[in-house]
Amino acid sequence: MSKKEMMDRFRDQVSRGIPIIGAGAGTGISAVCEEAGGADIIIIYNSGRFRMAGRGSISGLMPYGDANAIVMEMAGEVIPVVKRAPVLAGVCATDPFRQMPQFLQKLKTEYGFKGVQNFPTVGLYEGRLRQNMEETGMGYYREVEMIRTASEMNLLTTPYVFNEEEARAMAEAGADIIVAHVGTTLKGYIGAKSTMSMDDAVDAVQAMCDAAKEVNPEVLVICHGGPIADLDDVKYVLEKTNGIAGFYGASSMERLPVEVAITENVKQFKALTLRSS
């Protein structure tokens, strides 16, 4: 499908009360299962590989590998097994060793990606470190420009935003679906332990949504992260907000379900009783 066809489909389902569900895939089998479950979009980025290797998602922000190279490696595992859903690449837009327009073109024409997301993102950094990144050419504005370039190339764009200012900037850059990000996902064996409250997350998501729609009333906004980890959490946010069109889950879609399923499965095997001689 073209980007226009994808967006027409998304807007139609939202008009019928059906949420847009994006799913992060760190492995091919994750992508297969997510598509079987009806995921609208599948996104692959370096944290997916770390996450499904038993490391926290925040590993994707650390110098444990070339984020953009990892995405290209993962493409060969994920894209061939996905039959329907568009697959998007998590792009490290601040990568100083790549010419971004040429890199985006390569992702589109050689690897078959249908769109992009800004990850790893400096949006997760705070304080003086974030300020220094902005001052030294590694700022969030580079991610905004990547999304602008990708949009002009007719790639589907679903950027993370972390505050109202960034939401406005991404909407102005032509983002198709804005993901209101409220922090590293809680819960599970390797999830974050501290984040904002659920009600604070609701307020933050709503504020980012309203800011984006001030710039472009047609932009779609979905939520992600922090305390919004499982089905009940997402249901709560959708009930308490206006204009939120769905949910993007990464840990929520593959790590947390796998943790529960494998743990409980092994427990059942261990509960078997040997036949006495």
Side-chain angles (χ1 to χ4, degrees), residues 146-219:
M146 183 274 288
I147 292 297
R148 189 187 308 278
T149 301
S151 181
E152 291 169 354
M153 294 171 60
N154 214 32
L155 285 161
L156 185 70
T157 54
T158 66
Y160 281 139
V161 303
F162 301 85
N163 56 48
E164 295 166 62
E165 180 183 355
E166 292 169 359
R168 293 188 187 96
M170 284 298 189
E172 191 277 329
D176 299 300
I177 301 173
I178 285 178
V179 185
H181 195 308
V182 289
T184 303
T185 303
L186 289 181
K187 301 182 181 179
Y189 297 138
I190 57 174
K193 306 302 180 188
S194 58
T195 188
M196 63 179 70
S197 70
M198 184 62 73
D199 287 330
D200 285 343
V202 166
D203 291 341
V205 166
Q206 188 67 67
M208 287 185 270
C209 177
D210 293 345
K213 288 181 178 291
E214 286 174 10
V215 176
N216 178 10
E218 300 302 315
V219 71

Side-chain angles (χ1 to χ4, degrees), residues 2-14:
S2 68
K3 180 168 79 166
K4 182 181 184 304
E5 289 171 328
M6 287 185 276
M7 290 304 297
D8 286 346
R9 187 185 74 183
F10 295 150
R11 290 194 174 98
D12 175 68
Q13 70 180 53
V14 170

Side-chain angles (χ1 to χ4, degrees), residues 35-157:
E35 183 172 52
D40 296 296
I41 304 169
I42 292 173
I43 306 96
I44 61 177
Y45 50 83
N46 66 333
S47 274
R49 173 168 287 182
F50 294 126
R51 178 190 310 120
M52 299 310 286
R55 278 72 177 180
S57 296
I58 207 164
S59 297
L61 300 180
M62 300 298 288
Y64 302 149
D66 180 338
N68 286 326
I70 289 172
V71 164
M72 290 189 287
E73 292 172 5
M74 293 172 69
E77 179 178 347
V78 173
I79 291 178
V81 298
V82 176
K83 307 304 180 185
R84 174 191 56 81
V87 180
L88 277 57
V91 174
C92 181
T94 57
D95 187 339
F97 299 103
R98 284 182 170 82
Q99 296 293 322
M100 199 49 59
Q102 290 88 331
F103 181 60
L104 293 175
Q105 187 64 37
K106 186 174 185 177
L107 292 175
K108 179 179 180 179
T109 59
E110 295 185 28
Y111 287 84
F113 284 103
K114 298 298 184 183
V116 296
Q117 185 175 54
N118 56 324
F119 194 91
T121 171
V122 301
L124 284 167
Y125 290 94
E126 299 175 349
R128 183 172 295 175
L129 176 60
R130 170 67 180 275
Q131 182 179 350
N132 291 161
M133 296 175 85
E134 297 287 343
E135 294 167 347
T136 55
M138 292 174 277
Y140 189 83
Y141 70 92
R142 295 278 299 274
E143 300 177 24
V144 174
E145 288 310 306
M146 183 274 288
I147 292 297
R148 189 187 308 278
T149 301
S151 181
E152 291 169 354
M153 294 171 60
N154 214 32
L155 285 161
L156 185 70
T157 54

